[in-house]
Amino acid sequence: MELLKQRIRRDGRALNEHVLMVDSFLNHQVDVGLMRAVGEEFARQFAGCGITRVMTIESSGIAPATMTALAMGLPLVVMKKSISSILSEGILQTEVHSFTKNSSYQLTLKQKFVAEGDRVLVIDDFLANGEAAFGAARLVEQAGAQVAGIGIVIEKAFQPGHQRLIEAGYRVVSLARVSRMAENLIEFVDE
Amino acid sequence: MELLKQRIRRDGRALNEHVLMVDSFLNHQVDVGLMRAVGEEFARQFAGCGITRVMTIESSGIAPATMTALAMGLPLVVMKKSISSILSEGILQTEVHSFTKNSSYQLTLKQKFVAEGDRVLVIDDFLANGEAAFGAARLVEQAGAQVAGIGIVIEKAFQPGHQRLIEAGYRVVSLARVSRMAENLIEFVDE
């Protein structure tokens, strides 16, 4: 998505080979006009896939996922990051490890907000190792629903998440695929 | 806002005098069409107030605040809930106590995402004691900006937050004001 890549080139900042700061338009300050374009692009890419529900993980996925659900006319479900595991009827949980933060959380979903037979589009702001996306997929599948697609705003294509998800059979659409970073350098995968 | 009150009557669930569950349309599953209507209503109510920036607190405020910023054509800034205090240049923090969760967090904002002279509209999903709203206002004011309004989706009008904010000089608009709850009973302030 050219508009997004231009914005990353202009306002993103690579601190080093691994850390990309995009907090001026994606995950602290949010350009909602850009998020609307992102949502419309996901709606276009996943049109005709029979999606019935959009899901995301709190909290940086919420703005792009809200716009995607709006563009597709579908309900949104926000999976929660819980510190402790909850033993309660109707609650699905799975442990997700964040390499970025070097900590784990219990990804949490009330089962009643996903129906058997649902075809779910999972939206997230970043894809690196794929731990969060796999966690979301586990919860969707535990509920008897199906992951019909995974939509990522920015992918660190030099990390293994995309390849791992593809090998597991998921369809992944990343709107910007960063191939290489260094201090003040951001390169994209040629597409 | 009649549409919102109808939805709370239909799908909200009072567990007792204090706890209102609205997770089927506001803070776990999200009805983005309703959120768009909420955003448009805030835009209407705060039109002509010279608002320059919309702010909210992660994570349940993000969907309504995204729609408000979209309706107003303004940038959104999402204040973060940090567990630990960060000593870093350009970071503003203030401690906020949540009575609901009986815990505290450091509400966190990068100073560069609010400019001196900004007129900020603070949006949040719930107002009860007002602790989160006062915390947001402290950060906005520390940055040399002004809180031009506080927009709340659902207010527990039987708790003191609204009155405290009014007494402190803030303009508060709550789209649904719940006056009383009991098991399976939800009443609104007559307006």
Side-chain angles (χ1 to χ4, degrees), chain A residues 10-58:
Chain A
R10 197 188 78 185
D11 293 335
R13 213 174 120 232
L15 298 189
N16 54 45
E17 289 164 39
H18 299 286
V19 180
L20 176 61
M21 297 288 283
V22 287
D23 64 359
S24 67
F25 59 94
L26 182 58
N27 48 23
H28 189 6
Q29 184 167 245
V30 181
D31 181 334
V32 292
L34 180 66
M35 289 307 109
R36 179 164 57 179
V38 160
E40 286 167 355
E41 180 63 17
F42 283 133
R44 197 181 68 78
Q45 296 258 6
F46 290 101
C49 297
I51 309 286
T52 58
R53 193 173 292 268
V54 177
M55 289 206 183
T56 191
I57 297 171
E58 64 180 356

Side-chain angles (χ1 to χ4, degrees), chain A residues 115-176:
Chain A
E116 231 173 284
D118 258 336
R119 291 177 58 79
V120 174
L121 174 58
V122 175
I123 299 290
D124 210 358
D125 59 335
F126 266 100
L127 173 62
N129 287 288
E131 293 299 312
F134 273 110
R138 283 195 298 277
L139 291 192
V140 168
E141 289 157 6
Q142 275 178 42
Q146 194 183 337
V147 175
I150 297 172
I152 300 295
V153 182
I154 301 177
E155 177 189 318
K156 293 176 176 173
F158 52 89
Q159 289 190 253
H162 191 123
Q163 189 59 31
R164 289 178 60 210
L165 289 166
I166 295 290
E167 282 166 10
Y170 297 109
R171 178 168 174 223
V172 181
V173 170
S174 302
L175 301 186

Side-chain angles (χ1 to χ4, degrees), chain B residues 14-148:
Chain B
L15 298 190
N16 53 43
E17 290 165 38
H18 299 287
V19 180
L20 176 60
M21 297 287 285
V22 287
D23 63 0
S24 67
F25 59 93
L26 182 58
N27 48 23
H28 188 6
Q29 185 167 245
V30 180
D31 180 335
V32 292
L34 180 66
M35 289 306 110
R36 179 165 57 179
V38 160
E40 286 166 356
E41 180 62 16
F42 282 133
R44 198 181 68 78
Q45 296 257 5
F46 290 101
C49 297
I51 309 284
T52 58
R53 192 173 293 266
V54 177
M55 290 205 182
T56 191
I57 296 170
E58 66 179 354
S59 71
S60 301
I62 298 176
T66 297
M67 290 306 184
T68 305
L70 188 73
M72 301 182 87
L74 294 174
L76 170 67
V77 175
V78 179
M79 296 182 188
K80 306 285 183 178
K81 289 175 180 169
S82 184
I83 294 163
S84 56
S85 57
I86 300 163
L87 285 172
S88 171
E89 211 178 331
I91 300 278
L92 300 176
Q93 284 194 315
T94 189
E95 185 168 305
V96 172
H97 182 73
S98 166
F99 287 98
T100 315
K101 297 187 179 167
N102 193 27
S103 64
S104 294
Y105 57 87
Q106 294 288 332
L107 191 65
T108 303
L109 169 67
K110 278 199 185 173
Q111 183 150 14
K112 67 176 174 179
F113 296 134
V114 53
E116 228 172 287
D118 258 336
R119 291 177 59 81
V120 174
L121 173 58
V122 175
I123 298 291
D124 210 358
D125 59 335
F126 267 100
L127 172 62
N129 287 289
E131 293 299 312
F134 274 110
R138 283 195 298 276
L139 291 192
V140 168
E141 289 158 5
Q142 275 178 41
Q146 194 183 337
V147 175

